[in-house]
Amino acid sequence: MTNTTVTLQIHRFTPRAERERDRARGGSPFAKKSSPFGDSGAASARRRPRGKQWVQEYVVAASADDSVLDLLLTIKRTMDPTLAFRYSCGHGMCGSDAVAINGTPNLLCTAMVKDWAKPAEAAASVDDEGFRATGVAAAGSDDAVVSVSPVADADGSLGVIELAALPGFPVQRDLIADIDPMLDQIRKLKPYLQADGVLATTSEGKIDVFEYLQHPEQLAQYETLTNCIACGVCEGLCPVYAGGDAFIGPAALIWASRFVNDSRDERTAERLEAIDTADGVAACQSVRACTRQCPRGIDVGEEMWQIVAKVRER
Ligand code: SF4
Ligand code: FES
C-alpha cells in the first residue's frame, strides 16, 4: 500500500435532463425541434451542452509510476462511482481516453503521475464558486508541459493534476467528450482503400484473392499514418478546429493523407479535390500545435504541410 497521494482536480459536468431542457426552452416536448434555417437541431444541441459544471477535488493514494487512468479507476471503484470517463485498451492503442491533462490534450492511460503531477502551489487555485481563478496554460503552449515531480512533500503529496474533457468538442459528461464531429469528418473523406480491379479466379472457377503488390519504399510513404487511432488529441490542440465547423481538422486530413500516399489507391485526384475546400486545407493556419502530443508519433503538422503542398501542386 503506497503512502503517497495525488490530488486530482477534475472539471465535472452533468448535462441537464432532456425534459428539463424542453421545459427551459418553454416548448412542448412534442414540438418539432428543427430550425427554419436548415439546422437539424441535433448538431447544434450537441455543440451547446447545458448542465451543471463544477470542479471536484479527490485525494488518491498513488505512486509516481501510476498512470492517471489508474487514479481515476481507484476513484471510481473506491470513492465516487458517479465520476464518468472513457477508456478501453489501457495501453495507448484505442484512443478512447483523450482528455485535457493540466490543459494539454493527452491519453489518460499513457500519462504518468511522475510526468504530470505538479506542486500544489503551482496548480491553479479554485475559488469557492468552483471557478478557476487563473488560466491553465493554453493547449499546446510550452507552459502546458509541467515539470516532473516524483518526490513527495512532507505530507506525502506527489502534487496536483488537473483534468478536463478534451477541448474542441462538446462535453457529454465529466471527462467524456463527444468526438462524433471528428469521426464524421473522417468518414466524409472515405477512409478506406479505393482500388479498381477484376477479381481473379482459379482454374476451377473459384474466386481468387486480390493481391496488390507494393515495394517497401511505397509502404514507407504512408505506414506511419496508419498508426492514427483517431484519439482527437491533435484536434484538441488545434486552435482552428473547435468543433469541426470551420475546419475539418488534422485527424481527418491525416486519414486523407494516408490514402493519398498509398500507391494502391486510385482515387488520389478525388481525395485531393475533396479537401481543397474552405473548411479543408485552406483553413489550416500552419500553427503546428497538432504535432506536439500525437501519442502515435505522427508528425501531424508536417503531414498537414505535405498534403497542403500536394493540393496546391495539382
Ligand atoms: S494524428 Fe495522432 S493525435 Fe491526431 S487523431 Fe491520429 S493518433 Fe490522435
Ligand atoms: S485506453 Fe486505449 S488509448 Fe488509452
Side-chain angles (χ1 to χ4, degrees):
M1 177 81 181
T2 177
N3 52 7
T4 51
T5 61
V6 167
T7 301
L8 289 185
Q9 286 178 350
I10 303 182
H11 290 244
R12 300 198 59 183
F13 172 75
T14 302
R16 194 184 286 166
E18 192 69 45
R19 281 167 63 193
E20 249 184 84
R21 281 203 299 267
D22 286 334
R23 235 179 321 188
R25 270 201 294 263
S28 152
F30 305 106
K32 206 171 161 218
K33 295 189 179 69
S34 62
S35 150
F37 304 107
D39 183 346
S40 69
S44 57
R46 197 172 58 197
R47 279 168 175 69
R48 288 197 307 273
R50 295 279 184 271
K52 184 181 167 203
Q53 301 179 49
W54 73 104
V55 178
Q56 191 156 350
E57 269 195 10
Y58 300 89
V59 180
V60 199
S63 72
D65 289 324
D66 283 336
S67 70
V68 181
L69 177 61
D70 290 332
L71 308 196
L72 290 181
L73 289 170
T74 300
I75 293 172
K76 184 94 177 164
R77 288 166 185 161
T78 65
M79 300 166 78
D80 183 355
T82 70
L83 180 64
F85 53 95
R86 185 169 52 208
Y87 77 103
S88 182
C89 70
H91 56 270
M93 293 303 293
C94 72
S96 63
D97 59 339
V99 302
I101 307 179
N102 294 343
T104 301
N106 216 305
L107 301 181
L108 286 168
C109 63
T110 54
M112 309 306 285
V113 165
K114 62 185 169 203
D115 296 327
W116 291 95
K118 55 187 177 183
E121 59 272 15
S125 62
V126 177
D127 67 20
D128 292 344
E129 302 289 313
F131 296 107
R132 293 173 61 255
T134 53
V136 177
S141 81
D142 288 340
D143 294 344
V145 182
V146 297
S147 58
V148 174
S149 175
V151 183
D153 65 14
D155 298 329
S157 170
L158 292 166
V160 179
I161 299 175
E162 184 182 11
L163 299 177
L166 190 63
F169 297 93
V171 186
Q172 286 183 319
R173 182 180 291 270
D174 295 342
L175 298 177
I176 300 176
D178 176 6
I179 59 167
D180 277 357
M182 171 183 69
L183 300 178
D184 289 345
Q185 298 286 19
I186 292 174
R187 271 187 218 110
K188 245 171 43 188
L189 297 180
K190 303 187 176 159
Y192 43 84
L193 189 69
Q194 295 183 78
D196 293 334
V198 181
L199 270 177
T201 52
T202 62
S203 49
E204 294 90 50
K206 292 187 179 151
I207 291 175
D208 209 348
V209 286
F210 261 134
E211 198 175 35
Y212 296 97
L213 296 178
Q214 214 166 34
H215 293 294
E217 306 81 57
Q218 292 172 315
L219 174 64
Q221 294 296 311
Y222 69 90
E223 193 173 16
T224 309
L225 303 180
T226 64
N227 290 334
C228 175
I229 50 176
C231 63
V233 162
C234 55
E235 316 257 306
L237 285 163
C238 175
V240 187
Y241 177 70
D245 284 338
F247 179 30
I248 58 176
L253 290 176
I254 285 293
W255 280 79
S257 189
R258 179 252 174 273
F259 289 100
V260 164
N261 288 316
D262 188 334
S263 61
R264 302 167 301 172
D265 194 90
E266 292 166 353
R267 298 288 184 277
T268 302
E270 291 93 320
R271 290 186 189 281
L272 293 176
E273 182 74 27
I275 56 175
D276 189 10
T277 54
D279 68 347
V281 291
C284 176
Q285 304 293 310
S286 300
V287 177
R288 291 203 176 209
C290 53
T291 292
R292 296 187 181 197
Q293 303 286 338
C294 174
R296 306 298 296 162
I298 298 171
D299 187 343
V300 187
E302 179 58 25
E303 290 302 330
M304 295 299 100
W305 186 251
Q306 301 280 348
I307 195 83
V308 168
K310 284 196 174 85
V311 168
R312 289 191 183 142
E313 280 164 12
R314 281 184 308 148

